[in-house]
Amino acid sequence: MLDTLVFATVLLPFLVAAVLLVLREQNVRKVILVATAGVLILSSLAMLRGGAFILSPAPLYDSLVTLGDFVILFVVLFVGFKRKNQIIIWLTVAQILGLIWLDFFMVQDHGATPAFFADDLSLVMVLIVSIVGSLIAVYGIGYMKEHEEHLHLTKSKQPQFFFFIVLFLGAMNGLVLANNLLWMYFFWECTTLCSFMLIGHDNTEIARKNAERALWMNVLGGTAFLFGLIILQKVAGTLSLADILARGPEFAVAGGAILIPMFLLVFAGMTKAAQAPFQSWLTGAMVAPTPVSALLHSSTMVKAGVYIIVRLAPIYAGTYLSNFIALFGAFVFLATAALAAGQSNGKKVLAYSTISNLALIIACAGINTPAAITAAILLILFHAISKALLFLCVGAIEQKIGSRDIEDMRGLYARMPRTAIITIIGVMTMMLPPFGMLMAKWMAIESAQGQFLVMIMLALGSGLTVLFWCRWAGILLISPFGKPQPETQACSVRLPLVILAALAVLVSLASPFVYNGLVAPVVAMYYKAAAYTTSYGNFDSGTGVFIIYPLFILLGLGFYYAVRQAKRVTAAQIAAPYMCGEQQSVDGKPGFLGPLGQHVAAASGSYYLEQFFGENVLTKWINVVALAVLVIMLFGGAL
Amino acid sequence: MTKIIIAILALVLAPIAGALISGVDRRVTAWLQSRYGPPILQPFYDVLKLLGKEPMVTNTWQALCAYVYVVGAALSVVLLFTGSDLLLIFFVLTVGAVFLVMGALASPSPYSQIGGQRELLQMLAYEPLLILVFAAIAMVTGSFKVSAVFELSRPMLYDIPLMFIVLGYALTIKLRKSPFDISACHHAHQELVRGVYTEYSGPYLAMIEIAHWYEVILVLGLCGLFWSTSVVGMIVLVVLTYLAEIIVDNVTARLTWRWMLKSAVGMGVVLTIINMLWLYAQ
């Protein structure tokens, strides 16, 4: 049974991807995609029911993984030569040599380390990848059809597109289930390659350029990963994740040497999670079709980066490295929230807010208390759902109105009522209580107590978060009274939106159960005390209490009452907006009666505070500071 | 059970107290400006009159937002008086604030739009300050729970005096007092009419007034926490603080939002760092 489930979540996507690559029949592709999504979702749920496990597949697969490693590295090397990118070439050559050394000279008995192991953290990740990722893949059916119509392609590139999307899901599942770190390295490189191919999918000049940048940054991370493994093998004598985690306390006593491979692995995680100074690859990745952005930002790629950092947290707990990771995370959280506040491009706001939230997760891993780790895991979960939802919304909006700029979404409710409401729900679940994202942020801030530099940066960053979300949600609403236009949308686009919006609300509602069932066991493995007790559905700890159900009920009742009051408003009670002067509406659009009787349309825009938060103002400094923190982190032990 | 009674009492008494404070505020302000001023009950008369008016809005979202604003503000007061978590109180308060802005942004009126944008900047200025104040309180008490404050043996003001100034900053912004009455001022008609409030009228404006009363009580309640050891001390501290607010309101002119952001955030962070270092040193 277990074999089957691991097969279904990891290997099956590889096989399905291969089928999709050669298949050119559109309707069969649809059926296969939906069926695969169904299988992935069901098997991830079944795997969750089964609970923790350790699994060693046949020795044949070990050789296949080794072979796969070299195939990927040579493909990357080929890309490096084709693009004449020295960084990619040299880093890949270093990886090939390092891997030969590690695989054939250092690791003696390849079969001895079980390939897979799962605890609740892995299972949560598999759920996220399989459910959110599958929904995005299904959304891709409707999206790509329209996308290619816009591009007027003579030959559809969808087989290639879905090949990499489905492959990506398999690789991600493999990554989070891997116990043998060599296997994890293989899946890690798989995701790098998939993201490179998907970012460059449209094959425009800018897409190629951004894909190349994503590749060299991730190859840098991959190199750090591999050399981390080499040193780890030397220091610890094993590449089994479960073993290393079990020996965490022992390492903590020994100190010193283990922190170098830990730093390298955490650094690899930071590049993959697009932390400053590597944020540009993720913001550049927006040139790709929307399902790709959604996938990269929510359930794959960047989550792999924070997964490894959270995963290793117990090993570096209580060290200087942990403190620096907390500082680094808090700084990037603040810095990228500021960058998000300065953007009017919707996708860019989402991109920077992703980086910001990931940085918060990293800060939590660095704070490294039971409460902080709880916050980190909940953030991974809730962020995946809400961010996937928001990206898919922006994609749907962009295809309809031809722009991803927030200012062009003014009054979207009148044109796309359903999508506008779903977008607003998505935004609310990102920033307001009693939803899960905010609850996790509450845990993060409370656990930062006592590290006041971290605390100050979290406080400032969280103020900025409210600014950019609230601004966006507000201007979607501008609309005249009356029934908005009905909205048409492909079923494969609408369903994932509705399901994700429902998940965002319902999973928040179930957060005490999610905590007790999935998060508390993970924390219990690493730390003696649990972070929170949940009585009557309230999260209670010595230092604070977060009330869920009374709050959900009271806010819900208040909201319901407000909706009823709003519904009572009749056409007779509608006034024209206040214009302070001679008012004149043309086509229902308000404006002023100007000189010589001309109509002057009323226009307004939002503050984006570019003199404070513009990319060209901040990016340079953010990169300098982030790089400085990273360098100090590396050499901090010597100080 | 006592918590439920306290909750109901807070729900009923807070707006009444808030309205009375606004009434006194107007009288004191009038006295400072050598006017006679309205009766102390005037805020009640205003709101009762507004409640009786025909509801008018530019679109239905505003009605929704006005009500959610009240719910958020009232709930945060209830949480404060039942001794809940400071950060949670703050986040619930944010719900109301966010919906107030969304309602303002839902109207195409330029005044309402500018008001909404400025209100967001005000939130950006006071929110980090409040979180920092709460963090400092948690450092003193070891917990974010309001109830923990009342277990202290001496007033917090001795330990975190600078944080009280930071709270004062946040208070001035939150109470819409000069020099930070940037988004919704009575006195800036030519500049922005009434900013975020421009499009709210009749019963909806009444809702917003009531929500504001709740908020006044909430922020004054937070001030009171700094002298938690005696009721008299709390009252004296709150009265003095509010008087100081009124005087500042009357002797200062409105600043620009750039000034507000720089001074509030800059001052807040510097004072926090000094106060925290001092706490560590102790």
Side-chain angles (χ1 to χ4, degrees):
Chain A
M1 181 64 190
L2 197 57
D3 290 14
T4 323
L5 290 179
V6 174
F7 169 82
T9 46
V10 181
L11 196 57
L12 181 73
F14 280 77
L15 301 178
V16 170
V19 173
L20 288 173
L21 185 61
V22 291
L23 189 82
R24 300 215 68 88
E25 173 53 43
Q26 240 186 46
N27 289 322
V28 184
R29 183 190 307 132
K30 268 187 215 169
V31 174
I32 292 181
L33 270 170
V34 173
T36 312
V39 170
L40 271 178
I41 293 172
L42 290 177
S43 38
S44 68
L45 288 170
M47 199 184 264
L48 180 70
R49 260 181 73 95
F53 64 83
I54 290 185
L55 183 77
S56 314
L60 164 72
Y61 287 105
D62 234 15
S63 323
L64 278 180
V65 164
T66 309
L67 180 68
D69 272 335
F70 285 106
V71 169
I72 293 176
L73 285 174
F74 279 105
V75 170
V76 173
L77 190 63
F78 172 71
V79 173
F81 276 115
K82 211 172 121 193
R83 300 282 171 90
K84 298 190 184 67
N85 188 320
Q86 296 288 328
I87 305 174
I88 297 178
I89 294 173
W90 288 112
L91 286 176
T92 314
V93 168
Q95 278 191 71
I96 292 172
L97 295 176
L99 191 67
I100 291 175
W101 190 30
L102 182 63
D103 250 337
F104 301 119
F105 296 97
M106 287 186 79
V107 179
Q108 301 302 333
D109 186 6
H110 274 274
T113 309
F116 295 112
F117 109 104
D119 58 4
D120 288 277
L121 179 57
S122 324
L123 295 176
V124 173
M125 296 299 296
V126 172
L127 273 188
I128 294 172
V129 175
S130 304
I131 297 180
V132 179
S134 298
L135 287 172
I136 295 170
V138 170
Y139 171 94
I141 301 172
Y143 184 90
M144 288 312 285
K145 182 166 170 278
E146 197 162 331
H147 184 73
E148 298 205 327
E149 278 165 13
H150 281 300
L151 291 179
H152 308 294
L153 292 186
T154 45
K155 188 178 167 215
S156 167
K157 284 179 72 184
Q158 286 189 44
Q160 191 196 343
F161 181 82
F162 285 106
F163 169 74
F164 283 110
I165 292 269
V166 176
L167 194 68
F168 213 149
L169 297 180
M172 259 318 274
N173 274 332
L175 197 159
V176 298
L177 287 174
N179 174 54
N180 187 339
L181 287 170
L182 272 170
W183 283 57
M184 192 189 276
Y185 171 72
F186 165 69
F187 291 123
W188 188 273
E189 293 300 279
C190 256
T191 59
T192 297
L193 189 65
C194 286
S195 70
F196 167 74
M197 297 307 291
L198 286 170
I199 295 169
H201 178 79
D202 283 348
N203 209 17
T204 54
E205 180 62 33
I206 184 139
R208 277 199 300 270
K209 209 177 113 227
N210 287 334
E212 189 179 326
R213 181 165 52 195
L215 187 62
W216 82 251
M217 288 183 173
N218 278 298
V219 167
L220 179 66
T223 313
F225 197 103
L226 183 70
F227 283 87
L229 293 193
I230 292 175
I231 300 173
L232 189 69
Q233 173 72 28
K234 243 193 157 53
V235 176
T238 175
L239 289 180
S240 160
L241 191 56
D243 275 0
I244 296 165
L245 285 172
R247 284 164 59 192
E250 175 195 328
F251 288 129
V253 178
I258 193 81
L259 291 183
I260 299 169
M262 285 305 120
F263 171 81
L264 288 172
L265 291 176
V266 167
F267 177 80
M270 284 168 177
T271 54
K272 189 135 277 203
Q275 297 298 295
F278 306 108
Q279 74 278 42
S280 59
W281 83 254
L282 194 62
T283 51
M286 295 179 329
V287 295
T290 296
V292 176
S293 313
L295 208 57
L296 291 180
H297 282 264
S298 66
S299 55
T300 62
M301 203 64 182
V302 298
K303 288 290 154 65
V306 291
Y307 166 75
I308 186 93
I309 296 176
V310 173
R311 174 55 96 192
L312 299 175
I315 298 175
Y316 56 75
T319 64
Y320 81 92
L321 182 63
S322 195
N323 293 336
F324 273 109
I325 292 173
L327 262 182
F328 177 87
F331 169 72
V332 177
F333 171 66
L334 168 61
T336 45
L339 283 172
Q343 301 299 322
S344 69
N345 178 322
K347 261 189 150 180
K348 252 190 165 158
V349 173
L350 292 182
Y352 278 124
S353 97
T354 299
I355 302 171
S356 181
N357 283 313
L358 295 169
L360 185 61
I361 298 170
I362 292 174
C364 287
I367 294 167
N368 229 326
T369 60
I373 298 297
T374 307
I377 300 171
L378 287 177
L379 277 170
I380 293 178
L381 173 66
F382 289 115
H383 179 260
I385 301 173
S386 294
K387 195 45 77 64
L389 172 64
L390 283 169
F391 261 106
L392 299 189
C393 286
V394 171
I397 293 168
E398 190 186 359
Q399 282 194 332
K400 186 94 157 199
I401 69 172
S403 164
R404 53 175 74 161
D405 197 283
I406 293 175
E407 292 301 309
D408 294 326
M409 294 180 202
R410 283 179 174 271
L412 189 77
Y413 178 73
R415 282 172 289 173
M416 303 176 75
R418 193 187 311 108
T419 312
I421 298 278
I422 290 178
T423 310
I424 291 169
I425 292 175
V427 169
M428 295 293 140
T429 55
M430 287 296 283
M431 67 161 176
L432 290 184
F435 297 113
M437 272 301 282
L438 187 102
M439 190 183 72
K441 199 177 275 174
W442 166 82
M443 291 172 173
I445 295 180
E446 296 213 336
S447 58
Q449 181 213 346
Q451 309 195 16
F452 74 85
L453 271 181
V454 174
M455 172 67 98
I456 289 174
M457 291 193 277
L458 293 190
L460 293 174
S462 105
L464 283 163
T465 312
V466 175
L467 170 78
F468 63 75
W469 285 132
C470 180
R471 176 174 67 199
W472 189 354
I475 58 184
L476 294 180
L477 290 178
I478 310 169
S479 69
F481 180 78
K483 276 232 176 306
Q485 289 169 14
E487 193 181 344
T488 51
Q489 214 165 37
C491 183
S492 64
V493 171
R494 181 191 303 168
L495 263 180
L497 288 184
V498 174
I499 295 175
L500 281 170
L503 275 181
V505 175
L506 293 178
V507 178
S508 293
L509 196 61
S511 55
F513 302 100
V514 173
Y515 170 76
N516 281 326
L518 296 176
V519 183
V522 181
V523 178
M525 286 195 309
Y526 303 152
Y527 300 93
K528 286 191 193 77
Y532 297 96
T533 52
T534 51
S535 53
Y536 303 106
N538 300 338
F539 280 81
D540 204 342
S541 74
T543 54
V545 59
F546 195 96
I547 302 168
I548 298 205
Y549 290 117
L551 212 58
F552 247 114
I553 292 168
L554 288 173
L555 280 175
L557 279 178
F559 196 77
Y560 172 75
Y561 179 72
V563 169
R564 259 192 34 181
Q565 289 297 326
K567 279 203 171 138
R568 278 209 200 146
V569 175
T570 60
Q573 291 166 358
I574 296 302
Y578 183 78
M579 293 286 174
C580 188
E582 275 211 84
Q583 199 162 334
Q584 190 193 45
S585 288
V586 172
D587 300 332
K589 294 208 172 102
F592 305 95
L593 189 63
L596 302 175
Q598 280 174 318
H599 175 72
V600 182
S604 49
S606 305
Y607 292 174
Y608 291 98
L609 314 186
E610 264 141 15
Q611 66 271 51
F612 291 140
F613 301 138
E615 272 177 328
N616 45 5
V617 183
L618 287 182
T619 306
K620 201 171 79 195
W621 296 109
I622 292 171
N623 289 348
V624 168
V625 175
L627 208 58
V629 177
L630 280 175
V631 171
I632 299 171
M633 206 190 284
L634 179 57
F635 295 108
L639 294 176
Chain B
M1 192 61 209
T2 41
K3 275 197 175 175
I4 295 175
I5 295 172
I6 295 174
I8 293 169
L9 280 179
L11 210 55
V12 178
L13 295 182
I16 297 176
L20 287 175
I21 291 172
S22 309
V24 174
D25 182 345
R26 286 168 77 170
R27 277 298 270 268
V28 177
T29 301
W31 178 72
L32 284 171
Q33 297 167 350
S34 310
R35 293 186 282 114
Y36 184 70
I40 295 203
L41 294 182
Q42 188 63 41
F44 288 108
Y45 303 149
D46 290 349
V47 162
L48 286 174
K49 186 177 171 192
L50 284 174
L51 281 172
K53 295 225 175 199
E54 172 81 4
M56 296 289 269
V57 283
T58 58
N59 67 44
T60 39
W61 294 109
Q62 288 177 332
L64 176 101
C65 291
Y67 280 95
V68 177
Y69 181 34
V70 187
V71 172
L75 211 51
S76 55
V77 170
V78 168
L79 287 173
L80 177 71
F81 282 87
T82 49
S84 190
D85 186 288
L86 283 166
L87 274 180
L88 180 64
I89 293 169
F90 166 74
F91 289 136
V92 172
L93 185 70
T94 311
V95 175
V98 161
F99 271 85
L100 176 70
V101 173
M102 281 175 50
L105 292 181
S107 160
S109 154
Y111 299 96
S112 177
Q113 288 282 325
I114 292 177
Q117 297 292 336
R118 287 188 181 182
E119 177 74 13
L120 281 173
L121 293 171
Q122 294 203 165
M123 285 161 70
L124 181 58
Y126 78 72
E127 288 196 333
L129 301 188
L130 283 180
I131 297 183
L132 290 176
V133 169
F134 296 156
I137 294 178
M139 272 187 80
V140 176
T141 64
S143 164
F144 278 88
K145 288 175 190 164
V146 175
S147 46
V149 175
F150 289 95
E151 289 158 15
L152 291 175
S153 56
R154 68 168 185 173
M156 283 193 300
L157 196 58
Y158 289 128
D159 293 313
I160 42 175
L162 297 182
M163 297 319 286
F164 192 73
I165 302 177
V166 175
L167 179 63
Y169 246 86
L171 191 66
T172 317
I173 301 172
K174 190 77 201 156
L175 289 178
R176 309 185 183 293
K177 296 272 188 202
S178 184
F180 301 130
D181 50 350
I182 290 165
S183 72
C185 173
H186 301 72
H187 315 297
H189 197 271
Q190 305 85 326
E191 191 183 333
L192 79 160
V193 189
R194 270 210 84 187
V196 272
Y197 294 168
T198 305
E199 292 293 352
Y200 294 104
S201 66
Y204 305 115
L205 187 58
M207 287 301 138
I208 283 176
E209 278 299 323
I210 295 170
H212 187 64
W213 295 341
Y214 276 114
E215 288 190 343
V216 170
I217 295 302
L218 182 84
V219 280
L220 291 180
L222 291 177
C223 281
L225 288 183
F226 277 74
W227 207 287
S228 54
T229 46
S230 92
V231 179
V232 180
M234 277 174 112
I235 293 172
V236 170
L237 186 63
V238 166
V239 169
L240 286 180
T241 313
Y242 201 82
L243 274 178
E245 289 292 344
I246 295 177
I247 292 169
V248 169
D249 187 21
N250 279 287
V251 298
T252 53
R254 183 174 317 104
L255 292 176
T256 62
W257 62 262
R258 286 179 189 79
W259 244 100
M260 176 189 66
L261 267 186
K262 281 180 191 159
S263 75
V265 176
M267 275 282 277
V269 170
V270 169
L271 289 178
T272 307
I273 291 177
I274 296 173
N275 206 151
M276 297 266 191
L277 288 175
W278 189 59
L279 261 185
Y280 274 116
Q282 268 187 333

